């Protein structure tokens, strides 16, 4: 079985590992408490832009060196940015652990070269354009903007074309120094990991991190204004769209809430794509392309998404079916048999996840960063198997009856429904 | 390398009815997986019945043996099966990964699904509507649209046609079509069952014998030939990006030169230091996504690529991308080939952590080569490649017969394709 170990370095960097010496791979990741909710208007999109710039060279390595060395380690590596964190990770053969820790740690002190910054600005603008062409055409971002307001958790991770065009490398440097401090960072490792070697290497290579100049908090935004490039309409007109896309957002449990297990089970029971109440009524019948729902947990709060995709002229009828299913579970709760089915499926999923060290990395690192807490596979299995009909029925009453905000994306000229 | 002889031993058996069974024990895992491929793919459809293979694949899962559609899902969920299915050019495939103790029940269940499905007539319209939803979804995905059209241009309208069918063809399919396709195509001859994970080889062999041993065999040698030609097609759309899909002729997985070709594509596009990523994206900032990869059918192959970029930079993106492909052999270095080798070898070793991935590899190897390759054999093929052999292949076989599809506000130009 796997073993959990953790430590905190004198500079405040936390290290957490779930070690399984039988694994064929080692996964390492830096989890940084830096996401779009930590930005002010003039920094919109900087967490994500910075994530790209971390691959663009350091004092010791050029941008090409970084990419080449990542490839030399044969790793499956990358990075992502969310509302609350930025994560840099790779999975390699255990023999490459030392080289990977050297490379990833070096990357965490980026050069932020002006020329690279200008080139990468174009890549970010392309990434924004790419998502503009993809369903549901920005409806998820819009739902968060409307629900949480366009700042904090409602701030879009990629920023806007306007904010990316106007941001400077100098501002990025200030943002980096403010957020990438050792006390804001977790180094997580899973799989076949040499923990003592990892800690020794991290200690040696991060000594200067606490000396980063912190220019302090930026000037707060004026909440009476709307950030440049942001719109808050609840309808999005999409040229030529075949389908209509409805995103409905409401309140969900936070990642610190014990309700989260019941909420996740409820979401599977109602919205799983392989056989759930929504599946049988809306997908299996061909009425809709997508009909699902899920809780999205943040550290201190949560959102609940409902998502329905179908032909525009069938949206109103499908929303009614969707609502009836929600009302049914609120009024009558769930059955033991369907709950057992959800638990069995989720428990098997846990066991399968435990075989791949790379898939354990993200839950380990995120949890340690946000809650300083370790949740083992056995802990999760225990929580799952302890779920009761009452707890899941109560989650339906708590989370399916609160106020919700609808965002609808469809071709202009379609009849507005719902 | 760290792969042991025990872990790469593949038990291969051909049942008298023509079904091939491949089993690999991975005793360090807690899971097992199977992948079952039946020659009931797009190529087996009649000319006018586009989408029939997908519709049949959907219909067989709507109840089988003594289980209704909902019962089937309940049993699968309770067995902890993470399941998948899909229709490719040649095959309809069903598979699942699960806790190892569920495997025998799962195999019996899937024997019912592919041999005794109810094919409920009263659910045909529901299944058809599911397919129409997928067609509509593709209309809204520009990347999928250009890649779907590219495939048709590359292999020709028949071999390259999508498994989704068209609105017209799907609307016209009948219950009789489904029943007839099922009766003729869902059979043992040419079927391949791959199993990997924590298994008792003897016991699972017995289960397979009981579940599939008496399945009927109706061999079918129908094979559609490629008929694609070099062509540029432009789809006008008011999209934010211009979506560029391109392909050129290549060789299939079973070809003796396959890995010499594959290494070149790896140098072009595998990893963050690959030519396309580095020179199109990293150095010039022209796009977010630029990729090329190998596509292999039994009797046809291509290198397929994609780039998405804003319209004002689309021409330059296309030009730079095609330039890099044309000039692959100009400055090949050992370091590039070595990086690609480490990448592939790491992937092979890490595949030992996934029963599902290994089961799928067993089946696709066997389909393409007529036998499954052990991980060691594949490793030694990769290891023995030299820079000269890769360069020689690409010099002797320069990329040719380009197909190009772009979607965006305006058309692009290229001298790669004769007008």
């Amino acid at each position: 079985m796997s073993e959990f170990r953790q430590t905190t370095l004198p500079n405040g960097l936390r290290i957490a590992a779930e070690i399984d010496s039988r694994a064929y791979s080692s996964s390492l990741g830096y989890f940084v408490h830096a996401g779009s909710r930590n930005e002010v208007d003039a920094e919109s999109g900087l967490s994500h832009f910075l994530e790209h710039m971390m691959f663009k060279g350091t004092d010791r390595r050029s941008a090409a060196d970084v990419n080449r060395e990542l490839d030399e380690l044969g790793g499956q590596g990358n990075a992502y940015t969310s509302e609350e964190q930025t994560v840099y990770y790779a999975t390699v053969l255990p023999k490459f652990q030392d080289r990977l820790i050297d490379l990833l740690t070096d990357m965490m002190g980026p050069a932020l070269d002006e020329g690279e910054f200008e080139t990468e600005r174009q890549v970010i603008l392309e990434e924004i354009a790419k998502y503009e062409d993809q369903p549901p055409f920005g409806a998820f971002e819009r739902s968060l903007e409307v629900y949480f307001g366009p700042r904090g958790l409602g701030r879009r991770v990629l920023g806007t074309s306007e904010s990316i065009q106007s941001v400077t490398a100098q501002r990025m440097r200030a943002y980096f120094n403010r957020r990438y401090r050792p006390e804001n960072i977790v180094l997580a490792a899973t799989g076949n990991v040499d923990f003592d070697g990892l800690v020794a290497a991290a200690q040696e290579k991060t000594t200067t991190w606490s000396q980063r100049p912190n220019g302090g908090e930026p000037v707060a935004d004026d909440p009476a204004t709307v950030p440049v490039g942001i719109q808050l309409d609840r309808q999005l007109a999409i040229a030529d769209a075949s389908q209509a896309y409805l995103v409905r957002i409401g309140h969900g449990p936070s990642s610190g809430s014990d309700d989260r297990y019941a909420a996740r089970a409820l979401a599977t029971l109602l919205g799983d794509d392989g056989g759930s109440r929504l599946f049988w009524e809306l997908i299996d019948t061909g009425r809709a392309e997508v009909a699902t729902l899920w809780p999205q947990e943040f550290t201190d709060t949560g959102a609940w998404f409902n998502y329905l995709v179908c032909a525009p002229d069938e949206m109103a009828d499908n929303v009614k079916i969707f609502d009836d299913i929600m009302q049914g579970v609120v009024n009558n709760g769930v059955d033991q048999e369907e709950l057992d089915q959800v638990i069995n499926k989720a428990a098997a999923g846990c066991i399968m996840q435990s075989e791949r060290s790379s898939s354990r990395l993200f839950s380990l690192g995120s949890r340690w960063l946000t809650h300083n807490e370790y949740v083992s596979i056995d802990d999760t299995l225990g929580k799952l198997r302890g779920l009761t009909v009452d707890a899941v029925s109560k989650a339906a009453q708590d989370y399916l009856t609160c106020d919700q905000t609808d965002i609808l994306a469809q071709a202009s000229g379609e009849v507005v429904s719902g | 390398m760290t792969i042991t002889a025990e872990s790469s031993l593949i038990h291969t058996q051909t049942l008298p009815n023509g079904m091939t069974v491949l089993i690999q024990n991975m005793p360090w895992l807690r899971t097992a997986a199977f992948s079952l491929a039946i020659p009931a793919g797009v190529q087996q459809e009649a000319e006018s019945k586009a989408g029939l293979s997908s519709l049949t694949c959907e219909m067989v899962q709507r109840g089988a043996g003594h289980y209704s559609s909902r019962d089937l899902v309940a049993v699968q969920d309770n067995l902890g099966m993470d399941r998948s299915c899909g229709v490719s050019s040649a095959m309809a495939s069903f598979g699942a990964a699960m806790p190892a103790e569920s495997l025998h029940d799962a195999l019996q269940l899937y024997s019912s699904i592919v041999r005794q499905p109810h094919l409920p007539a009263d659910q045909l319209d529901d299944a058809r509507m599911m397919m129409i939803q997928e067609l509509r979804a593709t209309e809204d995905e520009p990347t999928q649209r250009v890649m779907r059209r590219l495939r048709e241009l590359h292999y020709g309208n028949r071999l390259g046609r999508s498994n989704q069918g068209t609105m017209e063809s799907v609307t016209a399919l009948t219950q009789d079509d489904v029943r007839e396709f099922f009766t003729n195509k869902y059979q043992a001859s040419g079927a391949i069952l791959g199993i990997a994970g924590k298994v008792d080889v003897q016991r699972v062999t017995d289960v397979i014998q009981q579940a599939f041993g008496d399945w009927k065999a109706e061999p079918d040698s129908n094979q559609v030939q490629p008929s694609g030609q070099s062509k540029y097609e432009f789809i006008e759309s008011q999209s934010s990006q211009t979506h560029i899909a391109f392909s050129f002729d290549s060789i299939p997985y079973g070809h003796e030169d396959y890995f010499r070709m594959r290494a070149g594509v790896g140098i072009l596009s595998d990893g963050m230091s690959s030519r396309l990523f580095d020179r199109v994206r990293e150095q010039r900032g022209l796009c977010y996504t630029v990729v090329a990869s190998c596509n292999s059918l039994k009797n046809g192959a291509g290198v397929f690529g994609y780039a998405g970029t804003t319209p004002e930079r689309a021409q330059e993106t296309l030009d730079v991308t095609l330039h890099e492909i044309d000039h692959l052999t100009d400055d090949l270095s050992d370091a590039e080939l070595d990086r690609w080798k480490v990448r592939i070898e790491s992937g092979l070793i890490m595949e030992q952590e996934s029963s599902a991935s290994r089961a799928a590899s067993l089946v696709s190897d066997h389909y393409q080569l007529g036998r499954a390759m052990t991980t060691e054999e594949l490793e030694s093929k990769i290891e023995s490649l030299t820079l000269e052999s890769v360069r020689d292949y690409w010099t002797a076989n320069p990329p040719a017969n380009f197909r190009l599809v772009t979607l965006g506000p305006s058309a692009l130009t290229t001298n790669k394709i004769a007008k």
Side-chain angles (χ1 to χ4, degrees):
Chain A
M1 284 310 290
S2 53
E3 177 197 8
F4 175 71
R5 293 183 67 183
Q6 60 87 20
T7 191
T8 302
L9 298 183
N11 67 10
L13 177 74
R14 288 173 284 158
I15 304 179
E18 185 181 83
I19 302 153
D20 182 348
S21 55
R22 301 164 309 173
Y24 285 88
S25 63
S26 310
S27 298
L28 296 183
Y30 275 107
F31 291 70
V32 187
H33 189 46
S36 55
R37 80 181 294 186
N38 304 113
E39 301 163 354
V40 295
D41 289 356
E43 296 170 331
S44 174
L46 261 190
S47 307
H48 169 258
F49 192 166
L50 177 58
E51 172 219 308
H52 281 233
M53 288 303 294
M54 303 292 273
F55 290 82
K56 291 301 199 170
T58 69
D59 292 345
R60 289 164 51 203
R61 290 173 168 94
S62 70
D65 288 340
V66 169
N67 283 340
R68 195 185 62 246
E69 284 186 50
L70 274 170
D71 283 351
E72 280 170 3
L73 301 180
Q76 309 298 316
N78 211 329
Y80 67 84
T81 308
S82 73
E83 290 83 358
E84 297 195 308
Q85 54 185 270
T86 310
V87 181
Y88 306 85
Y89 62 94
T91 297
V92 296
L93 299 181
K95 66 180 177 182
F96 291 133
Q97 175 179 315
D98 290 348
R99 287 182 62 192
L100 180 61
I101 188 75
D102 180 69
L103 175 58
L104 279 182
T105 308
D106 191 34
M107 284 169 61
M108 300 296 283
L112 303 182
D113 172 84
E114 297 269 355
E116 296 283 5
F117 182 88
E118 291 308 322
T119 305
E120 201 60 21
R121 190 200 303 271
Q122 300 305 317
V123 174
I124 306 286
L125 291 169
E126 289 298 340
E127 191 175 356
I128 291 172
K130 168 189 150 86
Y131 286 110
E132 284 171 359
D133 279 353
Q134 275 180 9
F137 309 105
F140 286 119
E141 287 85 350
R142 182 66 57 85
S143 73
L144 287 162
E145 282 163 350
V146 173
Y147 185 73
F148 288 112
R151 301 185 173 94
L153 286 171
R155 194 182 298 283
R156 45 181 65 209
V157 173
L158 294 186
T160 61
S161 298
E162 290 84 351
S163 72
I164 296 301
Q165 269 154 356
S166 63
V167 79
T168 62
Q170 187 186 357
R171 214 171 233 297
M172 180 179 281
R173 241 171 250 123
Y175 179 82
F176 171 80
N177 284 325
R178 183 170 96 237
R179 297 307 309 177
Y180 280 61
R181 313 196 65 76
E183 62 274 20
N184 269 344
I185 302 177
V186 160
L187 170 59
T190 53
N192 193 342
V193 176
D194 166 12
F195 186 73
D196 295 328
L198 180 73
V199 171
Q203 178 138 17
E204 182 207 323
K205 294 170 201 301
T206 64
T207 46
T208 60
W209 284 15
S210 44
Q211 295 155 21
R212 287 172 180 162
N214 188 351
E217 291 301 309
V219 178
D221 298 317
D222 174 1
T225 62
V226 173
V228 62
I230 295 295
Q231 281 137 24
L232 296 169
D233 313 68
R234 298 180 185 210
Q235 311 257 342
L236 287 79
I238 312 301
D240 305 331
S242 293
Q243 300 280 60
Y245 301 83
L246 175 67
V247 176
R248 179 172 279 184
I249 185 171
H251 180 58
S254 75
S255 59
S257 159
D258 261 351
D259 281 359
R260 67 188 191 277
Y261 295 100
R264 290 175 198 169
L266 177 67
T268 304
L269 186 149
L270 289 173
D272 185 79
D273 64 358
S276 60
R277 292 194 188 186
L278 287 170
F279 173 85
W280 292 117
E281 291 300 323
L282 288 163
I283 304 299
D284 189 64
T285 53
R287 288 189 175 105
E289 175 200 335
V290 182
T292 190
L293 75 186
W294 66 92
Q296 173 128 9
E297 298 156 12
F298 301 106
T299 308
D300 51 350
T301 186
W304 189 290
F305 284 102
N306 299 328
Y307 186 36
L308 182 58
V309 182
C310 61
D313 57 359
E314 287 162 17
M315 183 57 88
D317 288 347
N318 284 334
V319 167
K320 169 127 191 8
I321 294 170
F322 198 108
D323 288 345
D324 286 348
I325 292 170
M326 298 302 118
Q327 199 56 51
V329 73
V330 168
N331 291 348
N332 307 317
V334 305
D335 303 332
Q336 187 67 52
E337 196 176 334
E338 59 179 347
L339 179 59
D340 286 344
Q341 191 177 326
V342 166
I343 291 171
N344 288 333
K345 182 175 179 146
C350 272
I351 291 167
M352 289 191 257
Q353 195 198 48
S354 73
E355 286 185 344
R356 305 210 88 170
S357 61
S358 53
S359 61
R360 285 292 295 158
L361 183 73
F362 303 110
S363 43
L364 173 82
S366 283
R367 194 87 203 149
W368 199 252
L369 180 71
T370 52
H371 296 284
N372 232 32
E373 183 184 40
Y374 171 61
V375 182
S376 70
I377 289 276
D378 285 339
D379 294 336
T380 304
L381 285 172
K383 293 282 189 188
L384 271 175
R385 292 184 172 132
L387 282 174
T388 62
V389 163
D390 286 350
V392 178
S393 300
K394 180 169 184 306
Q397 287 165 1
D398 289 348
Y399 296 109
L400 300 182
T401 57
C402 35
D403 285 345
Q404 295 174 320
T405 301
D406 282 7
I407 305 297
L408 183 65
Q410 63 182 359
S412 39
E414 294 289 349
V415 178
V416 174
S417 51
Chain B
M1 302 307 294
T2 56
I3 293 166
T4 64
E6 179 207 14
S7 69
S8 63
L9 190 65
I10 300 164
H11 300 264
T12 304
Q13 186 189 3
T14 306
L15 305 183
N17 58 17
M19 176 165 153
T20 302
V21 179
L22 307 146
I23 307 172
Q24 183 168 348
N25 185 19
M26 302 164 79
W28 57 91
L29 293 181
R30 296 166 74 182
T31 61
F34 75 86
S35 175
L36 171 62
I38 302 165
V42 179
Q43 290 184 50
Q44 280 79 28
E45 297 166 352
E47 184 76 32
S48 62
K49 304 288 182 187
L52 180 56
S53 52
S54 292
L55 184 61
T56 307
C57 177
E58 168 59 30
M59 285 297 288
V60 299
Q61 297 175 81
R62 289 177 174 254
H66 43 276
Y67 298 112
S68 72
S69 185
R70 290 188 186 223
D71 293 342
L72 275 181
V73 169
V75 174
Q76 289 163 342
D77 282 355
N78 286 325
L79 287 171
M81 298 172 68
D82 180 14
R83 53 192 194 277
S84 60
C85 62
V87 171
S88 68
S89 176
M91 299 293 215
S93 298
F94 304 85
M98 65 207 87
E101 58 273 16
S102 294
L103 179 67
H104 296 176
D105 288 342
L107 287 169
Q108 274 151 359
L109 195 65
Y110 270 78
S111 166
S112 290
I113 289 171
V114 300
R115 298 183 59 186
Q116 290 121 23
H118 301 162
L119 304 178
D122 62 351
Q123 290 190 34
L124 182 76
D125 284 337
D126 288 356
R128 186 202 318 279
M129 277 308 299
M130 281 180 91
M131 291 191 63
I132 288 174
Q133 293 288 353
E134 282 174 29
L135 282 164
R136 300 176 61 96
T138 302
E139 284 306 299
D140 283 356
E141 291 267 10
T143 307
Q144 282 189 40
R145 273 178 78 184
V146 292
M147 293 311 287
R148 182 180 64 182
R149 185 60 189 143
L150 179 73
R151 199 180 158 84
E152 288 167 356
L153 293 186
H154 188 88
Y155 290 118
N157 278 335
R158 183 61 191 88
L159 187 61
R161 95 177 170 195
S162 155
N163 65 7
Q164 294 182 324
T166 64
M167 286 287 181
E168 298 70 36
S169 71
V170 169
T171 304
L173 294 173
T174 66
Q175 175 72 6
D176 284 345
D177 291 332
V178 170
R179 191 162 288 286
E180 184 184 297
F181 189 79
F182 170 77
T183 305
N184 294 331
K185 309 298 179 188
Y186 277 61
Q187 51 77 49
S189 179
I192 308 167
L193 174 61
I195 291 180
K198 186 182 175 63
V199 295
D200 177 330
V201 175
Q202 187 54 55
R203 283 189 55 212
V204 76
T205 303
D206 293 345
V207 171
I208 290 164
Q209 180 61 41
Q210 188 214 330
F212 295 100
D214 58 351
W215 196 10
K216 69 176 180 184
E218 291 186 10
D220 178 358
S221 59
N222 179 36
Q223 200 174 50
V224 181
Q225 295 307 314
S227 62
Q229 286 169 2
S230 185
K231 189 179 178 194
Y232 171 43
E233 201 167 287
F234 165 61
I235 304 169
E236 189 172 351
S237 167
Q238 297 310 309
S239 49
S240 292
Q241 286 194 312
T242 293
H243 301 266
I244 302 169
F246 61 87
S247 70
F248 54 88
D249 285 348
S250 189
I251 50 177
Y253 189 65
H255 194 287
E256 59 177 2
D257 290 332
Y258 178 80
F259 289 100
R260 297 167 66 194
M261 181 280 296
R262 176 70 186 83
V265 176
I267 288 167
L268 263 181
S269 188
D270 286 0
M272 300 176 72
S273 61
S274 62
R275 298 275 179 97
L276 294 180
F277 192 86
D278 181 54
R279 297 178 188 181
V280 184
R281 172 173 153 165
E282 296 289 272
Q283 290 186 26
R284 292 182 172 84
L286 283 171
C287 55
Y288 177 76
T289 307
V290 56
V291 290
S293 63
C294 299
N295 187 278
S296 185
L297 305 179
K298 213 166 195 168
N299 57 344
V303 173
F304 285 57
Y306 169 84
T309 182
T310 37
E312 56 274 22
R313 306 198 297 164
Q315 187 64 53
E316 185 185 355
T317 300
L318 176 65
D319 294 344
V320 172
T321 301
L322 295 182
H323 176 88
E324 288 303 328
I325 291 169
D326 272 347
H327 291 264
L328 173 66
T329 56
D330 284 5
D331 49 353
L332 280 175
S333 73
D334 276 311
E336 288 177 301
L337 180 61
D338 288 344
R339 287 200 296 277
W340 179 75
K341 286 183 178 179
V342 174
R343 183 184 188 83
I344 297 293
E345 287 167 358
S346 295
L348 286 173
I349 292 171
M350 290 178 202
E351 197 182 51
Q352 312 288 307
E353 291 180 349
S354 169
S355 52
S357 163
R358 192 64 201 137
S361 293
L362 291 174
V363 171
S364 67
D365 267 10
H366 191 275
Y367 170 69
Q368 295 274 352
L369 305 174
R371 66 190 183 88
M373 255 200 274
T374 64
T375 305
E376 287 157 321
E377 182 186 353
L378 193 48
E379 270 192 305
S380 81
K381 274 187 198 291
I382 302 293
E383 193 52 52
S384 67
L385 284 172
T386 63
L387 198 65
E388 287 63 42
S389 70
V390 175
R391 183 188 291 123
D392 289 350
Y393 172 82
W394 283 86
T395 306
N397 302 279
N401 294 325
F402 277 81
R403 285 77 154 171
L404 178 67
V405 180
T406 68
L407 181 153
S410 50
L412 307 181
T413 58
T414 175
N415 58 10
K416 283 279 171 203
I417 295 158
K419 293 236 163 65

